Amino acid sequence: MKRLQGKRINAGIATGKILLMKSRPAVLKQEIPDPEQEVARLLDALTRAEEQLQTEMKTADKTAAGILETHMMLLTDTRFRDTVTGIIRREHVNAEYAADRAGETLAEEFEAMEDPYLRARSEDMRQTARRAADCLTGFTEVPRMAEPVILCAEEFTPALLSGMNREYVLGLAAKTGSPVSHTAILAAGYGLPYLAGIDPAEINDGVTAVLDADHGELILEPDPETEQKAKEKEKALREMTRIAPEKTRMKVYANIASEKDLETVLRHQADGIGLFRTEFLFMNRNEAPDEEEQFQVYRRVLEAMEGRETIIRTIDAGTDKPVPYLDMPREENPALGLRGARVSLAYPDLFRVQLRALLRAACYGNEGIMFPMITSGREIMRLREQVNIAAGELDARKEKYRIPRIGIMVETPAAALISEELAKQADFFSVGTNDLTQYTLALDRLARGMDDYYDPHHDAVLKLIRMTVEGGHKAGIPVGICGQLGADPELIPLFVGEGLDEVSVAPASVPAVRYRVAEAEKQHENRTDDKPGDGGIHAPADGQLVSMSGIPDPVFAGGVLGPCFGIIPDNGLVRAPASGTVSSVADTGHAVSLRTSDGKEILIHTGIDTVKMKGRGFSPKVKQGDTVRTGDTLLEFDPEAVREAGLNPMVITVLM
Ligand code: PEP
Ligand code: MG
């Protein structure tokens, strides 16, 4: 058994045989007597490369298709063609050498550009040229696989991933690779464990291996016990994609960039959408989508989510997400300039079109609006002002609308540090760990060659996340994470322990993350159960937390019975918030009180004024004198029936 240490690019675990991929042979320069014949060879190869791309696009998912479209654009652009033919004609050299060199020259030009979006295209340029050269040499990188394997190579390219039969790929191990590359995004989309920093020279083709990306290890020729354990974990992770979602306290939401992502979100039964990156609706076009177009998109997404929370982020343009028609100024450091909510405040007309669409769409589902890149309360105030103006505009048009919950992204150290104050102006927080890492570690997300400095587990980042959770919870608002760290297997137990309300992850990662959350919660519960009555009060229902002052009943809001909190329930399950003995159950079944072993009395009151329902729709599952443990079901009820009776189904917990 031999262990090779690597760096996790995408979490997961796989066991299987290694397939070492062929290295691409060096393309050598050759003098050729007839340049025109060589140009003809080139044109023929370019046609074949185009056909290859078209075939791959047919089976590609949305992310891969976007990348392949970029490659098609670069391949068919006259600039590439002219540069290659120019080299052939001037220097009388072979076409594959000319294609490689042209690719390198043009990639360097991209690299020198100020615009970070264009700078990032250098990788695409190299890969496009490489495809053209491979069509000339006949080299094929895509391996033929007869059984599922762990692929091992010097480097993986998006073209390689999108071109191979993914059913046969268990995982990826490579010498180089970056967590923010297109390949990494694709691997995450396909749910493939992926490790970088593994030298193929140290591996023999065909050996059995365990690729444990969670722990950053490739274990070659594992002993039977190691292999067995890995297989069990792998099986459990795989089965999570087939079974119904396990009910977890910490919800597992999905991030989407367009409606096309909904299919995966629904298939994996995500508990909600924690981030809809709407800026993608504004990109790659000549003018902004109008109110009606946006309204229809938001409405369709909300309706598809059938009442599950759907957090739509207002446009987060700038830096690597350019919106050319806005004509934004060129900046030396765009990540520190006009981006995120600052763009919305700089272009209020554009912003209000989006807000009107969002306010109208809010009538069709459980919508939350979220502002990106907040650094101060003043910004929230100014953004909320725009919401009110948009509402006024809809009033004037006599349009149907609703002002939904309004939250903010905490993705700057400033926002995390003053989260307690900001929580007073927001209905929820979502931590954007991608930007929070960038701004805390002074490390541009797009910087190349900085992998050594990119440490999202840095104590400073984790401390800011903790501060945000505490700041939000003190004010009684829910806190989630929608950055990459939300799916980090090492950190999920920490987030569970800190009481984070949700993590929002790539749609394909939902089942695996849900499995990890469920595991972490079981362990956490076991720990708290060792100390019954330890004073910890758990949420008695799934849903949206509301602080005491927000409960729409003067008796509870005034703390007459004791301090309390409310939960707008997602479903009709009411659980014990602590271990103890049932001291009473209301005849009408809507309220249960518990005495904990350390003598605290807790009342769980389901709905406001629901005594009027005389027990209709309530079924208690415990009786006086029963002993219950944290999480045991106390009663079930029908929140819809309560709403239909014109009452509020909020579940209220009172510490008497
Ligand atoms: C983040 O910054 O973590 C985030 C989720 O936003 P984006 O990646 O879209 O900037
Ligand atoms: Mg961000």
Side-chain angles (χ1 to χ4, degrees), residues 108-397:
E108 279 168 13
E109 278 179 25
F110 276 117
E111 253 160 32
M113 286 180 185
E114 269 183 43
D115 184 326
Y117 176 79
L118 293 175
R119 223 163 44 216
R121 299 286 70 78
S122 59
E123 184 190 339
D124 296 301
M125 188 66 247
R126 282 197 183 90
Q127 284 159 8
T128 304
R130 195 166 153 162
R131 183 188 287 271
D134 289 349
C135 280
L136 284 155
T137 58
F139 172 74
T140 144
E141 205 175 20
V142 178
R144 278 187 221 300
M145 295 168 286
E147 60 177 334
V149 287
I150 296 169
L151 285 178
C152 189
E154 291 280 320
E155 187 184 5
F156 291 105
T157 60
L160 172 62
L161 281 201
S162 58
M164 67 196 173
N165 186 348
R166 290 192 297 278
E167 281 184 21
Y168 287 118
V169 185
L170 300 166
L172 309 170
K175 193 165 178 182
T176 55
S178 145
V180 285
S181 65
H182 279 147
T183 313
I185 293 169
L186 281 182
Y190 302 151
L192 290 176
Y194 179 9
L195 211 55
I198 300 290
D199 187 354
E202 293 190 50
I203 303 171
N204 291 328
D205 194 31
V207 296
T208 304
V210 170
L211 175 73
D212 185 350
D214 289 7
H215 295 103
E217 277 190 330
L218 180 70
I219 309 168
L220 302 171
E221 299 178 287
D223 61 34
E225 195 193 344
T226 308
E227 188 175 351
Q228 184 56 26
K229 270 198 187 145
K231 278 192 172 149
E232 279 164 18
K233 189 168 169 199
E234 193 186 350
K235 182 163 171 265
L237 279 173
R238 217 178 19 243
E239 281 180 354
M240 283 303 292
T241 62
R242 287 198 283 269
I243 61 173
E246 193 164 332
K247 279 286 165 209
T248 53
R249 182 204 59 78
M250 184 163 91
K251 298 282 163 250
V252 183
Y253 284 12
N255 294 342
I256 65 166
S258 84
E259 284 175 89
K260 291 189 189 141
D261 297 329
L262 275 176
E263 194 267 319
T264 319
V265 174
L266 298 175
R267 186 155 39 85
H268 293 324
Q269 303 178 57
D271 295 314
I273 288 176
L275 170 65
F276 179 178
R277 291 181 160 103
T278 62
E279 53 278 6
F280 288 98
L281 294 176
F282 294 74
M283 288 162 61
N284 297 321
R285 50 194 295 164
N286 297 326
E287 56 184 13
D290 64 16
E291 182 185 317
E292 192 56 27
E293 180 182 342
Q294 290 190 56
F295 163 68
Q296 295 296 352
V297 173
Y298 305 147
R299 176 182 168 164
R300 283 195 295 270
V301 171
L302 286 159
E303 286 181 338
M305 290 306 288
E306 294 182 327
R308 279 169 285 176
E309 185 171 32
T310 303
I311 298 176
I312 306 181
R313 176 171 77 183
T314 55
I315 179 170
D316 182 23
T319 328
D320 57 339
K321 291 181 278 198
V323 177
Y325 48 85
L326 285 186
D327 217 9
M328 288 173 19
R330 285 211 161 273
E331 295 171 293
E332 287 292 324
N333 293 302
L336 302 178
L338 190 58
R339 60 157 300 190
R342 298 171 191 175
V343 177
S344 297
L345 291 172
Y347 299 88
D349 293 339
L350 173 101
F351 184 43
R352 281 209 308 283
V353 170
Q354 180 170 40
L355 289 174
R356 289 196 299 270
L358 285 168
L359 264 48
R360 287 171 58 197
C363 300
Y364 297 89
N366 183 0
E367 182 183 283
I369 295 182
M370 176 158 79
F371 300 136
M373 272 286 291
I374 295 298
T375 59
S376 73
R378 187 163 161 272
E379 284 158 22
I380 305 178
M381 217 172 63
R382 291 180 62 201
L383 291 158
R384 276 186 176 273
E385 258 167 36
Q386 292 296 323
V387 175
N388 291 337
I389 299 175
E393 289 164 347
L394 292 173
D395 278 333
R397 277 168 33 191

Side-chain angles (χ1 to χ4, degrees), residues 255 275 277 279-280 313 316 320-321 339 370 372-373 409-411 430-439 445 481-485 504:
N255 294 342
L275 170 65
R277 291 181 160 103
E279 53 278 6
F280 288 98
R313 176 171 77 183
D316 182 23
D320 57 339
K321 291 181 278 198
R339 60 157 300 190
M370 176 158 79
M373 272 286 291
M409 290 203 65
V410 176
E411 49 184 350
S430 186
V431 186
T433 53
N434 307 338
D435 277 316
L436 188 62
T437 307
Q438 137 164 288
Y439 294 123
R445 272 167 87 165
I481 288 186
C482 61
Q484 305 269 61
L485 237 49
S504 193

Side-chain angles (χ1 to χ4, degrees), residues 437-616:
T437 307
Q438 137 164 288
Y439 294 123
T440 306
L441 303 185
L443 186 69
D444 190 329
R445 272 167 87 165
L446 299 175
R448 292 173 71 99
M450 292 283 137
D451 292 1
D452 273 359
Y453 297 94
Y454 187 82
D455 176 15
H457 289 197
H458 194 292
D459 278 347
V461 177
L462 299 183
K463 192 166 177 180
L464 289 170
I465 297 175
R466 195 159 49 241
M467 285 181 78
T468 309
V469 177
E470 284 169 8
H473 283 178
K474 252 191 201 162
I477 65 166
V479 183
I481 288 186
C482 61
Q484 305 269 61
L485 237 49
D488 192 308
E490 281 172 51
L491 295 182
I492 285 172
L494 188 85
F495 298 148
V496 164
E498 284 175 358
L500 194 82
D501 298 277
E502 46 98 349
V503 282
S504 193
V505 301
S509 307
V510 166
V513 170
R514 179 177 278 132
Y515 168 78
R516 295 194 165 96
V517 171
E519 287 290 294
E521 289 190 350
K522 261 186 245 154
Q523 279 177 10
H524 187 71
E525 186 83 2
N526 287 342
R527 274 206 301 277
T528 45
D529 270 5
D530 289 345
K531 304 178 277 166
D534 62 352
I537 304 294
H538 296 242
D542 299 327
Q544 179 94 26
L545 189 67
V546 176
S547 63
M548 188 160 107
S549 60
I551 300 177
D553 179 291
V555 174
F556 293 114
V560 176
L561 301 172
C564 54
F565 60 90
I567 291 175
I568 304 166
D570 284 342
N571 53 49
L573 199 62
V574 177
R575 298 182 298 260
S579 305
T581 311
V582 176
S583 41
S584 70
V585 179
D587 290 343
T588 41
H590 71 290
V592 174
S593 52
L594 293 180
R595 177 169 292 276
T596 63
S597 50
D598 54 354
K600 285 195 201 100
E601 191 76 27
I602 305 173
L603 168 69
I604 303 95
H605 191 282
T606 308
I608 296 173
D609 275 343
T610 33
V611 67
K612 288 181 188 157
M613 293 185 72
K614 300 198 172 104
R616 189 165 44 85

